[in-house]
Amino acid sequence: MSRTLVLLVATSSLALAEHGSMSMWSSTADTLVAYKSEGSACKYADKEMGGLDAPTAQTPYIKSKKYCAVNRGMFGGGEICGACYRLTYQGDHEQGLGHPGSEVIQVVDSGSWATFDCHMTAFHEITSQDTGIFPITYEKVACETPGGPVAAVLHTDYYFTKLVFNNLRYPVKTAELTVGDKKFPLKLVGGWWYVWTGAVSGKASFSITEDDGSQVMLDGCFGDWEQRKAADSCSGSHRLLQSSLTEDAFMPIYP
């Protein structure tokens, strides 16, 4: 798609977009997504899961370095982790810098002092510049998710487990773990998820609700739950719950 067509598409949705600002971080390989090897606030490339080789760091946005941090007000308690936004610069910098541009990015961290702090790759694509603070509009969009949703173990011991979800169309709103015939609600803790199961065994699965109401199912995860370890992962199917169907029926969006 040409830059002109992208800008026309972006311009047509400005009525729905919000206004903010964008700055940039350096062009190093793990800027923001694994800053200081801690996986950032969303933990997608945490060193315990393999850094940039982590299963949750394989989204098209992270691999192409089209990702950003957001300010603490937007980040909240981590509910925004994994969200995708179209950022658009209209060429209205007060000093006339840069050229108009637009790109879809994924949120991977907090702590930005602008509305968005973006990896240099994304920043340059949007503004054609390598530094500065630019006025932008931003609008939440569905993420592209080749390969389907992913759940990964961040850390675990015998009783509790930290988990990370990524490659979903929208951020996770709620998540529930099932082990055998027992169900356990997950708690969001600043970008990653926490569950206390105690001593249980059996096959594990996750039921996830995205913030647009879509349902994600991940089945047969990690072998037996007792065998889980850091960096283990599983992928699943993305399904939309239909009110006209029975409570347990789902319509697949993609396999």
Side-chain angles (χ1 to χ4, degrees):
M1 184 179 292
S2 70
R3 175 181 286 265
T4 300
L5 182 55
V6 168
L7 288 175
L8 286 173
V9 171
T11 302
S12 68
S13 63
L14 285 180
L16 302 175
E18 298 186 65
H19 292 267
S21 60
M22 179 182 64
S23 57
M24 48 23 94
W25 280 60
S26 73
S27 59
T28 57
D30 68 346
T31 293
L32 298 178
V33 75
Y35 191 55
K36 296 183 179 179
S37 299
E38 295 174 356
S40 76
C42 300
K43 302 296 184 182
Y44 294 142
D46 194 271
K47 62 182 179 181
E48 288 197 58
M49 296 193 297
L52 291 174
D53 293 324
T56 47
Q58 306 310 308
T59 72
Y61 307 98
I62 293 175
K63 293 177 73 174
S64 63
K65 301 179 177 62
K66 294 177 181 178
Y67 54 77
C68 307
V70 294
N71 62 37
R72 295 192 183 279
M74 285 188 68
F75 189 80
E79 300 89 349
I80 200 172
C81 278
C84 288
Y85 286 85
R86 177 169 290 282
L87 308 187
T88 301
Y89 171 54
Q90 294 294 316
D92 51 349
H93 191 283
E94 61 182 8
Q95 296 179 359
L97 300 177
H99 300 289
S102 184
E103 187 60 79
V104 175
I105 60 86
Q106 186 175 44
V107 175
V108 300
D109 200 4
S110 67
S112 169
W113 53 273
T115 314
F116 294 86
D117 276 353
C118 297
H119 189 282
M120 181 65 75
T121 299
F123 181 86
H124 184 80
E125 179 70 22
I126 296 167
T127 66
S128 76
Q129 297 291 292
D130 295 325
T131 189
I133 304 171
F134 286 78
I136 58 165
T137 58
Y138 61 96
E139 180 183 7
K140 184 181 284 188
V141 298
C143 299
E144 295 183 7
T145 59
V150 174
V153 177
L154 174 62
H155 178 80
T156 188
D157 71 9
Y158 192 64
Y159 293 100
F160 76 92
T161 303
K162 299 177 182 179
L163 295 149
V164 182
F165 301 103
N166 203 2
N167 209 39
L168 296 108
R169 295 173 67 246
Y170 293 98
V172 177
K173 182 177 182 180
T174 64
E176 182 180 69
L177 166 70
T178 299
V179 180
D181 60 355
K182 297 181 179 179
K183 297 182 181 295
F184 305 90
L186 275 66
K187 180 180 180 181
L188 179 63
V189 183
W192 47 272
W193 294 78
Y194 170 91
V195 63
W196 178 279
T197 60
V200 295
S201 62
K203 293 184 178 180
S205 62
F206 295 95
S207 176
I208 297 168
T209 302
E210 296 176 282
D211 70 2
D212 72 331
S214 297
Q215 302 291 307
V216 173
M217 303 299 297
L218 300 121
D219 298 314
C221 293
F222 322 134
D224 190 283
W225 179 247
E226 286 186 316
Q227 305 303 315
R228 70 198 184 282
K229 60 184 182 300
D232 280 353
S233 67
C234 65
S235 59
S237 57
H238 186 216
R239 302 168 185 264
L240 179 62
L241 183 62
Q242 300 290 312
S243 59
S244 60
L245 302 177
T246 63
E247 182 177 351
D248 296 323
F250 295 87
M251 178 177 291
I253 292 178
Y254 58 77

